[in-house]
């Protein structure tokens, strides 16, 4: 049970971050690495600082909203 609470804490911590790395973003958005990288690039949400790549989750969220299916 303690393991589940730890996971929930880590997940909520990631959701509060504006910038995430690819590995964190994959976990946060529940998708594979290559698909996450592709979508982040299409959204224009990538920031590269030397060797580090960050993804702006606010921009990515706005981009993903355009794919919402109305039922």
């Amino acid at each position: 049970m303690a393991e589940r609470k730890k996971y929930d804490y880590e997940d909520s911590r990631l959701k509060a971050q504006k910038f995430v790395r690819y590995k964190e973003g994959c976990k946060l958005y529940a998708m594979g690495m290559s698909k996450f990288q592709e979508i982040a690039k299409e959204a224009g949400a990538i920031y590269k600082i030397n060797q580090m790549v960050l993804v702006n989750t606010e921009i990515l969220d706005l981009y993903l909203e355009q794919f919402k299916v109305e039922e």
Side-chain angles (χ1 to χ4, degrees):
M1 192 67 168
E3 189 69 30
R4 179 68 184 160
K5 288 185 179 187
K6 180 181 177 189
Y7 176 78
D8 289 342
Y9 169 75
E10 289 176 0
D11 192 43
S12 65
R13 181 184 58 81
L14 282 175
K15 287 181 183 175
Q17 291 181 343
K18 181 176 179 178
F19 294 97
V20 295
R21 294 183 185 211
Y22 283 142
K23 187 175 180 181
E24 297 167 331
C26 292
K27 183 177 178 182
L28 180 62
Y29 288 91
M31 61 179 73
M33 178 71 75
S34 59
K35 182 53 84 174
F36 182 74
Q37 289 174 331
E38 177 186 331
I39 291 172
K41 287 177 186 175
E42 289 174 6
I46 295 177
Y47 294 76
K48 187 168 183 187
I49 305 165
N50 297 326
Q51 297 291 319
M52 180 176 56
V53 177
L54 298 173
V55 178
N56 185 322
T57 58
E58 293 175 355
I59 294 173
L60 188 60
D61 288 341
L62 290 173
Y63 177 76
L64 290 174
E65 282 297 320
Q66 71 181 338
F67 299 102
K68 183 177 179 182
V69 177
E70 300 292 332
E71 292 185 31

